[in-house]
Amino acid sequence: CRIEVTAVIYDRGGNQLSGDLWTESITIPNPNPPEGEAFRKIYELEVTPGRLNLEVKVSQVGTGRTGAWTKETTTPRFDAKPLVLSGLVFGRCDLDSTHVAAGWARAGFFPSPRRRYGESQPVACVYGEIYDTVPAPDSIYSVTYQVFGETGKPRDSWTDAIPRIEGHGAFLLHPSVTDLKLGVYRLKVEVKVGGVRDQAERSFEVDESRFDLFDDQDMVRGVLSYVATNEELIALEDLPGDSLSLYWDAFWARRDPTPDEP
């Protein structure tokens, strides 16, 4: 199929600052792709510092199918402070390294705008860049990240040294998401050099596919109690926690009207 992509950037007054139109031919080998599968293409537009509105429209040629997306964003002035940390871009990456050359489109990094992780995407990867005019001889940046849960309690933290080359650096972070349950989390990154620091933060989500039901025994018992018989409720109360998974499978297998089917 062929699609047309239009991207336009406006200032907050509604004046167009930049924009372009692209036409792409896409080959879809699977006529019924799985949920979450996406076509990725990177377009670059020059922008000016300040508060901006981005508008993207996608249309499939010849079918009338269209989609649109708008977002308010702010492009920072990288010359306004002695040390500036860019926005954090979530995705997945093919590189298992903290240190990368600048330019995420060419660093084996694949953005994930939904910032959602789970069974299909269990490894988080976060790209960022650092700019500075700090008069210090340091050859590295100290970068610390922390992952916070919805209660504000830290769940994970790490500090690493990022090469500083002519007042610039880039990094890929790999915050652990494998032990996180269903919910929304916040990643906070702080960078320091020569006694100066800056920070950035952004939220991400762990979807239900990462939730291990059997870690919460009260929830298992509560769910089953809605439909369990009296005999099953008695057995459930005395059941040890390490047997809940097997009990769960047997409980629903007894209620399967077609047990011979997969």
Side-chain angles (χ1 to χ4, degrees):
C1 66
R2 291 174 63 81
I3 62 169
E4 292 183 343
V5 181
T6 305
V8 184
I9 296 175
Y10 303 92
D11 62 20
R12 292 302 168 92
N15 302 304
Q16 181 175 336
L17 301 178
S18 183
D20 211 334
L21 167 67
W22 299 269
T23 301
E24 303 287 349
S25 295
I26 304 175
T27 300
I28 304 177
N30 184 355
N32 297 302
E35 183 180 357
E37 186 170 298
F39 170 76
R40 181 182 70 96
K41 186 65 180 290
I42 297 170
Y43 304 104
E44 295 183 356
L45 291 172
E46 292 187 2
V47 297
T48 56
R51 300 172 65 191
L52 307 171
N53 290 317
L54 171 63
E55 181 180 280
V56 178
K57 296 182 179 179
V58 180
S59 60
Q60 188 173 355
V61 178
T63 66
R65 299 176 64 185
T66 62
W69 178 81
T70 60
K71 179 177 178 60
E72 295 183 357
T73 185
T74 299
T75 303
R77 291 190 59 92
F78 290 105
D79 58 351
K81 298 190 299 183
L83 176 64
V84 176
L85 175 60
S86 73
L88 305 175
V89 183
F90 280 75
R92 62 180 179 84
C93 51
D94 291 341
L95 301 180
D96 187 18
S97 173
T98 304
H99 312 145
V100 295
W104 53 267
R106 295 166 294 279
F109 176 81
F110 304 92
S112 178
R114 297 174 70 184
R115 306 194 304 281
R116 180 176 295 175
Y117 298 90
E119 197 66 34
S120 61
Q121 190 168 324
V123 179
C125 197
V126 183
Y127 178 81
E129 294 191 13
I130 308 165
Y131 302 87
D132 83 271
T133 56
V134 178
D138 307 53
S139 60
I140 61 170
Y141 298 102
S142 176
V143 176
T144 301
Y145 76 75
Q146 288 182 294
V147 175
F148 296 88
E150 294 177 329
T151 62
K153 181 180 179 180
R155 301 296 301 270
D156 188 23
S157 64
W158 190 262
T159 299
D160 206 340
I162 305 301
R164 180 192 184 205
I165 302 174
E166 297 181 351
H168 185 209
F171 57 83
L172 283 174
L173 299 178
H174 303 273
S176 175
V177 298
T178 55
D179 295 330
L180 300 180
K181 302 298 186 293
L182 168 72
V184 177
Y185 297 85
R186 180 168 50 91
L187 174 69
K188 179 180 178 181
V189 179
E190 182 181 76
V191 57
K192 295 185 292 185
V193 66
V196 183
R197 67 183 63 198
D198 193 26
Q199 66 182 37
E201 58 182 73
R202 200 172 190 189
S203 64
F204 65 96
E205 182 180 352
V206 175
D207 66 24
E208 63 275 11
S209 65
R210 294 300 300 171
F211 184 76
D212 188 350
L213 179 66
F214 304 105
D215 280 352
D216 191 334
Q217 298 181 17
D218 291 338
M219 179 176 287
V220 173
R221 300 176 196 276
V223 169
L224 297 184
S225 68
Y226 284 108
V227 292
T229 64
N230 288 335
E231 292 78 8
E232 288 173 328
L233 284 174
I234 294 173
L236 190 60
E237 290 179 358
D238 298 331
L239 190 71
D242 57 4
S243 300
L244 277 174
S245 178
L246 293 175
Y247 187 88
W248 175 277
D249 292 339
F251 181 93
W252 293 113
R254 290 194 294 272
R255 289 161 172 79
D256 186 356
T258 55
D260 296 331
E261 294 183 358

